Amino acid sequence: MASPSRQAVNFAAPRGFATAFKADCKETFFPDDPFHEMKHEKPLNKLKKTIQYFIPLFEWLPNYNLRLFRYDLLAGITITSLAIPQGISYAKLANIPPIYGLYSSFIPPFVYSIFGSSKHLAVGTVAACSLLLSETVGAKASPQDDPTLYLHLIFTATFFTGIFQTALGFLRLGILVDFLSHSTITGFMGGTAIIICLQQLKGMLGLIHFTTHTDVVSVLGAVFRHRNEWRWESAVVGIIFLAFLQFTRYLRQKRPKLFWVSAIAPMVVVVVGCLFAFFAHADKHGIQIVGELKKGLNPPSIQYLNFDPQYLPVTVRAGLITGLIAMAEGIAIGRSFAIMKSEQTDGNKEMIAFGFMNIIGSFTSCYLTTGPFSKTAVNFNAGCRTAMSNVVMGFCMMLTLLFLAPLFRYTPLVALSAIIMSAMLGLINYDEMIHLFKVDKFDFVICMAAFLGVSFISMDVGLILSVGLALLRALLYVARPAACKLGKIPNSSLYRDIEQYPGSTPTQGVLVLQLGSPIYFANSTYIRERVLRYIKEEQGVSDSKTDIIEHLLLDLSGVSSIDMTGIETFLELRRILDSKGIKLSIVNPRIEVLEKLTLAKFTDAIGKESFYLSIEDAVQNCRFSLQYSSKTTMEES
């Protein structure tokens, strides 16, 4: 009796180490395969496209024209109106002189326009990283007691951020950003928004003394401990400014075409606040003002970088943590707006651009910059077409620094507090948290770990807790991989999960199991025990011959890799199955898995005839074997 014909599995000789290593590296570090289009180009064109790939400016600038510039000019002027109050506000949040917030919106935009791959990202300082720098560096050097040392350490931390981001970009390690899950970012931003809003109570109430801690309990304790410093004048002005800013945000949501009203609202608050403080002599009535802002462009600061071993651990730590958060935020925001235009951004090129921004920025009196959401949204809605909008913003900031900076000396601190609070209230994404709770409870726990950790302990602890839970979840998925029993869908050749498709029918005497993850040392024991449990459940406690399993088919189409422990587990499983009279067969192993099974002599141990291209082929051959065995038994009896 002839066995049914079937397509044979390709047992080609395993690839050499160099070939396999090259393929793995390419898939790990160059999943977008950026050089595929250059493969057949002439050397000169290949060089040109390579330069364009690494320096995107050369890609879009040759095709730039006046029509595009009109859009970018408007967008650049619009985001400048937001950059000035934000720069002053976030510098205050970082506990450095306000002028450095303006410096940070001058040099970095030019750098990003050369190396950045996003057309819509607008460069600037961000609240979360400003506060995190203040908290981390402030633990080592007080911004009040030794402001010069503190400022120099901020520059040094920014330098390390740039080195870290650039190294990750050149080494194509954008995969590290993926460890900051969506749930972690949602919780972290929400918790950060809470503590930043609470910290602005100092400016809103006109407090002089305050705490250096950022957690909710410490901040609220400081607010109520210094009730004697509360100034009703400051509170009234702050509430009026905050109500105005929130109204403009509401107006933008109801009528998106009026986005420009919300965009210029912070500048309106600053201008009105300056006029009010000047004519009403607000500083004499308990309303604090920014104070002197020097005219002039960024002075060099490379000589101020501090690599003293005493301070090196804190600057490196601050640089790494803020660098990772800034990258995750900037790349995610750039990708989000690119998707709206059916475009793509390269995360690794973005990291290089951010890195260069911060390295050069640390040399020119700037502190950490990335792509903030609010400014990018305004840039996008203003109709920007290319990164030229950042160049326009850079030139506008240059004019501001040269001629207008001293005019902002009368800016009330309460106005800056209102601007920060208004921006932060939009970062608390309640709807997303509720959505996480409905869809995935573990994701919600990860989100809450970041939210509560940041709010009640500290920013870095909250982030570590959330990332730790996310990694624990990933390890659980690895240690307890998915496996399911397959049955045949009636009137088809499809085999699907019996639990998901109750109408599918198992094949008598044949157990088909599907494994859906890499097989490693961490999960190999579980996989062996799970397979044996499936066999025990299938055979039940009955001695009926109809319950006997004679063939086990393992579908490995979803197994991307296997290590030596996994192969040894398969060998052990085969020995156990042989003792039970069950034949093991493998279905559709991937090339990486098949190569290792071949090199480990596993294919010789069970025979190449035990490997099948499809479940249907394997089941048909098992049926033939069962029929032949039954016929032989009947003839012998």
Side-chain angles (χ1 to χ4, degrees):
M1 187 175 180
S3 117
S5 61
R6 63 185 175 96
Q7 295 290 330
V9 174
N10 182 12
F11 286 95
R15 298 168 296 171
F17 172 77
T19 304
F21 183 74
K22 181 181 177 182
D24 290 342
C25 286
K26 181 180 178 182
E27 190 60 34
T28 302
F29 300 114
F30 294 92
D32 52 344
D33 197 8
F35 305 112
H36 178 74
E37 297 177 0
M38 308 178 197
K39 191 178 294 184
H40 304 294
E41 293 281 353
K42 294 180 180 179
L44 196 60
N45 285 340
K46 189 178 290 188
L47 176 63
K48 176 185 173 184
K49 289 190 174 181
T50 301
I51 293 173
Q52 289 177 339
Y53 174 77
F54 286 107
I55 307 179
L57 173 73
F58 293 127
E59 185 176 355
W60 58 265
L61 191 59
N63 301 318
Y64 199 72
N65 54 48
L66 188 60
R67 183 180 61 85
L68 294 174
F69 180 69
R70 287 185 300 174
Y71 290 101
D72 289 335
L73 178 63
L74 174 63
I77 294 172
T78 305
I79 57 176
T80 303
S81 68
L82 185 61
I84 294 172
Q86 275 192 351
I88 297 173
S89 303
Y90 295 160
K92 170 179 169 285
L93 202 58
N95 279 321
I96 59 178
I99 191 65
Y100 291 97
L102 299 182
Y103 290 158
S104 300
S105 293
F106 170 44
I107 298 293
F110 290 110
V111 179
Y112 183 82
S113 64
I114 297 173
F115 298 100
S117 65
S118 173
K119 296 178 181 179
H120 312 108
L121 200 73
V123 173
T125 55
V126 289
C129 291
S130 298
L131 183 62
L132 190 52
L133 277 173
S134 171
E135 181 187 15
T136 309
V137 177
K140 191 68 175 179
S142 171
Q144 288 80 30
D145 299 336
D146 197 344
T148 302
L149 173 63
Y150 175 81
L151 181 62
H152 294 175
L153 294 183
I154 291 288
F155 291 150
T156 310
T158 302
F159 172 76
F160 283 121
T161 292
I163 293 293
F164 174 59
Q165 292 174 331
T166 305
L168 290 184
F170 276 119
L171 296 174
R172 308 287 296 183
L173 293 178
I175 187 175
L176 293 180
V177 178
D178 297 336
F179 285 100
L180 292 178
S181 67
H182 175 70
S183 307
T184 296
I185 294 295
T186 300
F188 177 81
M189 297 307 292
T192 302
I194 290 290
I195 60 176
I196 288 175
C197 283
L198 290 177
Q199 284 211 327
Q200 299 321 299
L201 292 176
K202 177 185 178 183
M204 295 288 281
L205 297 173
L207 298 177
I208 299 173
H209 299 93
F210 206 62
T211 179
T212 57
H213 299 289
T214 59
D215 61 282
V216 170
V217 175
S218 298
V219 171
L220 289 178
V223 169
F224 288 101
R225 210 167 32 247
H226 300 103
R227 287 193 300 272
N228 59 311
E229 297 180 3
W230 290 9
R231 300 302 297 257
W232 67 267
E233 301 95 330
S234 181
V236 169
V237 172
I239 291 171
I240 292 172
F241 283 149
L242 183 60
F244 169 71
L245 290 167
Q246 287 301 99
F247 171 75
T248 60
R249 289 173 61 88
Y250 173 79
L251 191 64
R252 185 187 66 185
Q253 292 174 354
K254 290 297 180 181
R255 299 193 176 181
K257 289 184 178 180
L258 295 177
F259 73 91
W260 57 271
V261 176
S262 177
I264 67 170
M267 180 58 85
V268 171
V269 166
V270 168
V271 172
V272 171
C274 287
L275 294 174
F276 169 75
F278 178 76
F279 289 109
H281 302 286
D283 54 328
K284 296 180 180 178
H285 297 281
I287 299 178
Q288 303 169 47
I289 61 174
V290 167
E292 183 180 0
L293 290 175
K294 293 182 180 179
K295 187 190 298 185
L297 300 181
N298 301 32
S301 58
I302 186 171
Q303 71 274 21
Y304 298 137
L305 298 184
N306 190 324
F307 300 111
D308 188 327
Q310 179 183 355
Y311 304 110
L312 205 56
V314 73
T315 52
V316 171
R317 176 166 165 253
L320 294 183
I321 295 175
T322 54
L324 193 61
I325 294 170
M327 278 194 306
E329 183 178 354
I331 292 172
I333 289 168
R335 284 177 178 170
S336 300
F337 285 98
I339 289 171
M340 294 182 188
K341 293 287 186 179
S342 300
E343 297 168 351
Q344 289 184 334
T345 59
D346 187 322
N348 290 292
K349 282 195 281 189
E350 291 293 277
M351 285 192 288
I352 292 173
F354 293 158
F356 284 164
M357 276 196 317
N358 288 309
I359 291 174
I360 296 173
S362 68
F363 297 162
T364 54
S365 298
C366 303
Y367 79 105
L368 189 144
T369 51
T370 184
F373 176 80
S374 57
K375 198 180 293 183
T376 302
V378 169
N379 194 34
F380 180 85
N381 289 322
C384 72
R385 293 293 187 268
T386 67
M388 183 62 76
S389 60
N390 280 291
V391 176
V392 173
M393 178 178 70
F395 277 112
C396 290
M397 289 303 300
M398 180 182 72
L399 296 175
T400 300
L401 289 168
L402 286 174
F403 305 109
L404 303 178
L407 298 180
F408 294 103
R409 65 170 298 180
Y410 291 101
T411 305
L413 295 185
V414 67
L416 301 181
S417 295
I419 291 170
I420 293 173
M421 289 184 76
S422 178
M424 290 304 101
L425 290 174
L427 294 180
I428 307 174
N429 198 338
Y430 303 104
D431 293 336
E432 183 61 26
M433 293 178 185
I434 294 171
H435 181 69
L436 286 173
F437 179 78
K438 291 179 179 178
V439 175
D440 192 319
K441 301 298 188 291
F442 206 117
D443 261 341
F444 176 75
V445 171
I446 291 171
C447 177
M448 286 296 102
F451 182 82
L452 298 176
V454 169
S455 300
F456 291 95
I457 306 176
S458 68
M459 297 178 74
D460 50 352
V461 170
L463 189 65
I464 291 170
L465 282 174
S466 183
V467 172
L469 282 175
L471 290 176
L472 175 63
R473 185 186 201 186
L475 290 174
L476 287 175
Y477 282 143
V478 171
R480 294 294 181 266
C484 61
K485 175 184 172 184
L486 304 183
K488 186 175 184 180
I489 302 293
N491 302 318
S492 75
S493 60
L494 300 176
Y495 286 80
R496 294 293 182 266
D497 183 1
I498 285 180
E499 186 176 348
Q500 185 178 359
Y501 298 91
S504 57
T505 56
T507 302
Q508 185 176 327
V510 180
L511 177 61
V512 184
L513 299 180
Q514 185 180 63
L515 304 180
S517 75
I519 301 174
Y520 294 135
F521 66 92
N523 60 25
S524 56
T525 301
Y526 171 79
I527 289 174
R528 182 195 64 204
E529 297 301 327
R530 190 70 187 92
V531 169
L532 294 176
R533 182 148 54 95
Y534 267 120
I535 294 172
K536 185 177 180 181
E537 290 172 354
E538 190 70 14
Q539 290 180 333
V541 294
S542 172
D543 294 331
S544 172
K545 292 184 178 180
T546 58
D547 291 329
I548 294 177
I549 299 299
E550 295 188 25
H551 292 272
L552 172 65
L553 305 180
L554 292 181
D555 179 11
L556 302 187
S557 55
V559 177
S560 58
S561 62
I562 188 171
D563 68 356
M564 201 59 217
T565 307
I567 295 173
E568 288 296 330
T569 298
F570 273 6
L571 289 169
E572 183 181 353
L573 182 61
R574 175 178 173 267
R575 288 193 291 269
I576 295 172
L577 295 177
D578 283 346
S579 67
K580 295 177 178 291
I582 301 173
K583 180 175 173 57
L584 174 66
S585 298
I586 304 295
V587 178
N588 193 29
R590 295 166 61 97
I591 183 172
E592 297 87 351
V593 176
L594 188 58
E595 284 178 343
K596 288 190 179 180
L597 294 179
T598 301
L599 292 171
K601 307 296 184 184
F602 179 78
T603 53
D604 296 333
I606 70 171
K608 292 183 178 180
E609 68 279 0
S610 298
F611 286 78
Y612 297 90
L613 196 61
S614 69
I615 298 176
E616 183 67 15
D617 282 345
V619 169
Q620 286 181 3
N621 277 272
C622 290
R623 282 175 175 167
F624 169 77
S625 175
L626 290 170
Q627 290 172 2
Y628 181 76
S629 175
S630 177
K631 182 178 179 182
T632 303
T633 303
M634 289 177 63
E635 288 176 351
E636 289 176 353
S637 60

